[in-house]
Amino acid sequence: MIGLGYRSGYEIKQAVESSIRFFWTISQAQIYPSLDRLADERLVTGRSEPSGRRARRVYSLTASGRAALRAWLADGEELPFELRDVGLLKLFFADALPDAEAADLLDAVLRRSREMVETLRVIEPAAREADEEGNGYPLLTLELGIAFHEAMVSTCARFAARREKEGTGT
Amino acid sequence: MIGLGYRSGYEIKQAVESSIRFFWTISQAQIYPSLDRLADERLVTGRSEPSGRRARRVYSLTASGRAALRAWLADGEELPFELRDVGLLKLFFADALPDAEAADLLDAVLRRSREMVETLRVIEPAAREADEEGNGYPLLTLELGIAFHEAMVSTCARFAARREKEGTGT
DNA sequence: GGTAACATGTAAGCGGTTACATGATTAG
DNA sequence: CTAATCATGTAACCGCTTACATGTTACC
C-alpha cells in the first residue's frame, strides 16, 4: 500500500477498507507494530510529518523494500484457496432447519452478495482511474469480486425459485 | 457433522475435507478438544466403540445439541462476508511486477480456480445423492463453489486476452 | 459547542495452527 | 513386509482481534 502512495498508518487502513477488503482485512491495532517491524528490517523508512500539532508518521518504501515486494509477488508459492465464511457454512447445514427458516437463511446470503455487488460498483470509477494511470490489476480484482458475487446471487436465486415451485406443488 | 451422521473425530475431519472445505477448514488438533468441550456442555454424548483393539470414540447429538444447532443456524446474526486470499491479494499488487511475471501470477490464479472446479465436480454425484435423500443444501453450496470459480476463470481469461492483445499492439 | 474524522498507540487474550507423539489395522 | 489408512491425543506458539487509551482538527 505504501508502494501505491498511501503514506501513514491511518491512510493505509483506509486504503485497505476501500480496496482489498473484499479479500483481505487488517485491524487498526495490527498496523503500527507492523510498520515498526518493517522499519526495523529497513524495508520501509518512516519520518515524522505532523499536520499542525497532530502527530503523524509517514512511510515510504526503500529500494530493498520494493525488491522484497516484487520477490514476494513472484515467489511462485502455492496459492491455496482458502475461504472462511459463516454464511456458506450455515447454508450447508440448513437442512436441519424448518423450510421457512432455511429459506430466510438463503435469502440472507443472497442479499449479502447483492449488497456486496453494489458496494463494489461504487469503487469501480476509482479503479478505472487507477487503470488509466497504469495500475490495471486493482480493476481486475474488483471485477473478480463483482463476478464472484453475481454468480452467488444468480445461483441462490435459481435454487430459491426451484424450492418455491416444489413448495407450491405439495 | 455429527448431526449428518459422521460419528468419530476422524470421520468428522474427513467429512470436512470432502464437503465444506471450499468455505471452511478445521485442523485435526482442533477436533478432539472441541468434542470434549461439546460433551462437557451436554450438546453431544460420546461413547467408546473400538474397532478391534483400535481405540475409537463415537459421538451423537443430544436433544439440546440439536436445538443449539438449529438456534445457531437461525440466530439472525449478521453474516459479514470475509474472504482472506493470498492469490487475490498478490494479484491486486501485480502492477509492481514486470508484465511477464504479472501474467504468470494471473495464470496461477486462473489455474487454481480451474482446478477447484474440477475438484468440486468430483464431489457432485455424492451431493446429488444427498439431495435425493432430503439434504439439498450441500448441493447448493457445491453449486455456489462451482459458480464462484467459473466466474473467476472467465474473468481472468477475459483480462488475460485483453492484455495479450494490447501487448501485441505495441 | 459538539460530533465526526484524523491519528497513533498498547495490553490482554483467544482461536487456531504446526509439530510432535503413539499405536492398530488393512491392502498390496 | 511395508505403506497407507484408521484413530487419538497434546504442547508450544503465533497472528490477530477486541478493547482500551489519548489527543487534534475540521465542520456544522
Side-chain angles (χ1 to χ4, degrees), chain A residues 39-56:
Chain A
D40 285 349
E41 295 172 31
R42 314 284 148 147
L43 300 174
V44 302
T45 46
R47 64 183 186 292
S48 197
E49 198 173 272
S51 49
R53 263 192 298 167
R54 186 195 282 156
R56 186 157 171 268

Side-chain angles (χ1 to χ4, degrees), chain A residues 25 75 79 90 112 148, chain B residues 25 75 79 84 90 112 148:
Chain A
T25 57
D75 66 6
L79 303 169
K90 284 188 173 183
R112 184 180 68 155
F148 171 115
Chain B
T25 56
D75 67 5
L79 303 168
R84 216 160 235 271
K90 284 187 173 183
R112 184 180 68 154
F148 170 114

Side-chain angles (χ1 to χ4, degrees), chain B residues 18-55:
Chain B
S18 66
S19 64
I20 63 174
R21 82 136 146 23
F22 160 61
F23 48 83
W24 204 265
T25 56
I26 52 177
S27 70
Q28 181 266 123
Q30 201 182 344
I31 289 183
Y32 300 97
S34 298
L35 249 13
D36 290 345
R37 212 203 64 228
L38 289 169
D40 285 348
E41 296 172 29
R42 315 283 149 147
L43 300 174
V44 303
T45 45
R47 64 181 186 294
S48 197
E49 198 173 274
S51 48
R53 263 192 300 168
R54 187 195 280 156

Side-chain angles (χ1 to χ4, degrees), chain A residues 81-85 89 92-93, chain B residues 1-2 6 8-35 37-38 72:
Chain A
F81 185 84
E82 217 171 283
L83 169 60
R84 218 159 233 270
D85 183 60
L89 185 66
F92 179 86
F93 295 110
Chain B
M1 284 300 185
I2 294 168
Y6 302 96
S8 67
Y10 189 84
E11 258 180 45
I12 291 168
K13 170 69 173 157
Q14 282 188 119
V16 168
E17 290 312 307
S18 66
S19 64
I20 63 174
R21 82 136 146 23
F22 160 61
F23 48 83
W24 204 265
T25 56
I26 52 177
S27 70
Q28 181 266 123
Q30 201 182 344
I31 289 183
Y32 300 97
S34 298
L35 249 13
R37 212 203 64 228
L38 289 169
W72 171 68

Side-chain angles (χ1 to χ4, degrees), chain B:
Chain B
M1 284 300 185
I2 294 168
L4 290 175
Y6 302 96
R7 313 210 305 149
S8 67
Y10 189 84
E11 258 180 45
I12 291 168
K13 170 69 173 157
Q14 282 188 119
V16 168
E17 290 312 307
S18 66
S19 64
I20 63 174
R21 82 136 146 23
F22 160 61
F23 48 83
W24 204 265
T25 56
I26 52 177
S27 70
Q28 181 266 123
Q30 201 182 344
I31 289 183
Y32 300 97
S34 298
L35 249 13
D36 290 345
R37 212 203 64 228
L38 289 169
D40 285 348
E41 296 172 29
R42 315 283 149 147
L43 300 174
V44 303
T45 45
R47 64 181 186 294
S48 197
E49 198 173 274
S51 48
R53 263 192 300 168
R54 187 195 280 156
R56 187 156 170 268
R57 205 171 166 70
V58 296
Y59 293 85
S60 46
L61 279 185
T62 62
S64 74
R66 199 167 283 278
L69 167 63
R70 279 198 276 259
W72 171 68
L73 288 172
D75 67 5
E77 287 276 316
E78 282 293 303
L79 303 168
F81 185 85
E82 217 171 284
L83 169 60
R84 216 160 235 271
D85 183 61
V86 188
L88 290 172
L89 186 65
K90 284 187 173 183
L91 208 51
F92 179 87
F93 295 110
D95 292 295
L97 239 33
D99 285 356
E101 284 171 57
D104 287 347
L105 188 53
L106 177 62
D107 193 55
V109 170
L110 189 153
R111 272 185 292 112
R112 184 180 68 154
S113 280
R114 206 170 257 160
E115 278 158 32
M116 267 314 282
V117 171
E118 273 167 50
T119 309
L120 292 170
R121 290 230 184 270
V122 173
I123 319 174
E124 217 177 331
R128 290 206 181 278
E129 237 175 88
D131 183 39
E132 247 121 77
E133 283 158 24
N135 286 121
Y137 283 94
L139 181 58
L140 170 62
T141 54
L142 181 68
E143 280 172 5
L144 250 13
I146 292 172
F148 170 114
H149 284 290
E150 280 178 345
M152 300 266 291
V153 168
S154 64
T155 305
C156 285
R158 198 152 26 83
F159 184 89
R162 203 161 70 213
R163 277 281 153 126
E164 228 165 280
K165 221 175 66 186
E166 281 167 20
T168 324
T170 50

Side-chain angles (χ1 to χ4, degrees), chain A residues 5-57:
Chain A
Y6 301 96
R7 314 208 305 148
S8 67
Y10 191 82
E11 258 180 45
I12 291 166
K13 170 67 174 160
Q14 282 188 119
V16 168
E17 290 311 309
S18 66
S19 62
I20 63 173
R21 85 136 144 22
F22 160 62
F23 47 82
W24 204 263
T25 57
I26 51 176
S27 70
Q28 181 265 125
Q30 200 182 344
I31 290 183
Y32 299 98
S34 298
L35 250 13
D36 288 345
R37 211 203 66 226
L38 290 169
D40 285 349
E41 295 172 31
R42 314 284 148 147
L43 300 174
V44 302
T45 46
R47 64 183 186 292
S48 197
E49 198 173 272
S51 49
R53 263 192 298 167
R54 186 195 282 156
R56 186 157 171 268
R57 205 170 166 70

